[in-house]
Amino acid sequence: MQKYGRRLMGALRNPANVFTALVLVIFALTPIVAPALDESFYVIVFARIMIWGIAAVSVNLIMGYGGLISFGHAVYLGIGGYTVGILAFHGVTSAWIQWPVAIGLSGLVALIFGAISLRTKGVYFIMITLALAQMIFFLSVSAERYGSDDGLSILARSDFGVSGFSLNDKTTMYYTIFAFLLASVFVSWRLVQSRFGTVIRAAKSNDPRVQSIGVAAYRYRLTAFVIAGMMCGIAGLLQANLESFVSPDMMNWQRSGELIFMVVLGGMSTLFGPVTGAFVFLMLSEILAG
């Protein structure tokens, strides 16, 4: 007990850890405190922040730990959201269909884009991820049946078919997002601490040496790229359900730039840094916009 007590005290001496703990407490208590203060609007605000936090965690997995700066990562946010929106448009509202398809499609596109872009490095990697993502962006703009520039309204949220659990309930929707945020951070931590994560970090530090010992860094990076794409796709499908709306703006290159900025602001290669970065960035945006 004394050992764990010393670890806890050591962690609390770090201001970043204290701020992270405060942010998580705010997330957990907002649906309870905000209505009591007659500020229910903040429930939606913090739900949006958590969704962007999930997307930022996925960016940090490949950028912070893998050194891969993708300027098209927001495309998976759009793919996840549009999958939910298009399926709902055609009358398919079951979450057991929508969500696996959204995650699988995000992973498939990430696999294709990653297989192409990971053969390049540096600024060439940045530019090719941007170019590939903009192809999907302009495809969504040209899809007049699904709203084109005006976006697509989603008339019904994903239905799990479970009695007592409905995303139409604001509190249920909020804590579902909160659960996925914690899950994304946990998955990222487990990956980074595994042998897989060791290879990813080693390849970022010294790629030639990793390859010289017979490790195929390309496969590890591609796997990380796909996992990050799927994780960002989850953020997209959650955003589609929260807002009941999707638009091409979700996947434009500016959104990718904002995700990168969140990661840098919160701290690259840190566990909760992307979440705190998303919190600070979006809260400042709300304050300045107000």
Side-chain angles (χ1 to χ4, degrees):
M1 290 295 293
Q2 291 180 351
K3 180 176 70 174
Y4 291 113
R6 286 195 297 270
R7 288 183 179 179
L8 178 60
M9 292 303 297
L12 291 177
R13 292 191 186 100
N14 188 335
N17 291 337
V18 174
F19 184 72
T20 295
L22 178 61
V23 169
L24 292 177
V25 170
I26 291 173
F27 285 157
L29 297 181
T30 293
I32 301 171
V33 176
L37 297 176
D38 198 26
E39 297 288 349
S40 298
F41 170 73
Y42 281 102
V43 176
I44 301 297
V45 171
F46 286 123
R48 290 171 182 159
I49 292 173
M50 288 191 294
I51 289 172
W52 282 93
I54 296 170
V57 168
S58 72
V59 172
N60 188 50
L61 181 62
I62 58 173
M63 186 177 77
Y65 296 108
L68 303 172
I69 304 175
S70 172
F71 228 91
H73 200 75
V75 71
Y76 309 112
L77 195 73
I79 290 171
Y82 262 96
T83 301
V84 170
I86 291 173
L87 286 175
F89 179 82
H90 291 286
V92 180
T93 58
S94 172
W96 303 109
I97 297 175
Q98 287 183 345
W99 291 31
V101 172
I103 297 170
L105 190 57
S106 297
L108 177 61
V109 174
L111 177 62
I112 296 171
F113 286 4
I116 298 170
S117 58
L118 286 171
R119 299 184 183 279
T120 63
K121 294 182 180 180
V123 68
Y124 302 105
F125 176 83
I126 296 173
M127 296 308 296
I128 198 168
T129 54
L130 171 62
L132 291 171
Q134 287 299 100
M135 288 171 54
I136 304 297
F137 168 76
F138 286 113
L139 178 63
S140 65
V141 170
S142 64
E144 295 183 2
R145 188 178 185 186
Y146 303 117
S148 188
D149 277 332
D150 296 328
L152 176 65
S153 295
I154 303 173
L155 300 181
R157 286 177 172 168
S158 300
D159 180 20
F160 283 89
V162 178
S163 178
F165 183 89
S166 173
L167 297 183
N168 290 317
D169 179 72
K170 292 182 179 180
T171 303
T172 301
M173 182 78 245
Y174 183 92
Y175 281 114
T176 298
I177 296 170
F178 185 52
F180 272 101
L181 174 65
L182 296 179
S184 68
V185 173
F186 176 76
V187 169
S188 178
W189 174 73
R190 289 291 294 172
L191 287 172
V192 170
Q193 297 300 318
S194 67
R195 294 181 181 179
F196 172 85
T198 301
V199 173
I200 294 297
R201 286 179 288 150
K204 173 189 175 183
S205 178
N206 196 325
D207 188 32
R209 181 170 294 181
V210 170
Q211 295 188 41
S212 69
I213 62 175
V215 177
Y218 173 84
R219 296 179 182 177
Y220 284 84
R221 283 172 167 162
L222 180 58
T223 302
F225 199 87
V226 172
I227 293 171
M230 295 170 71
M231 193 181 294
C232 195
I234 292 173
L237 66 88
L238 289 171
Q239 183 173 350
N241 276 282
L242 177 69
E243 307 288 356
S244 296
F245 179 78
V246 289
S247 73
D249 185 63
M250 293 173 64
M251 63 183 89
N252 204 355
W253 67 270
Q254 290 97 330
R255 304 288 85 78
S256 297
E258 289 174 358
L259 286 172
I260 292 173
F261 184 76
M262 290 173 194
V263 174
V264 174
L265 179 64
M268 292 173 56
S269 307
T270 59
L271 188 60
F272 281 99
V275 179
T276 55
F279 177 83
V280 172
F281 177 80
L282 293 171
M283 282 302 297
L284 286 175
S285 298
E286 286 290 336
I287 292 171
L288 295 175

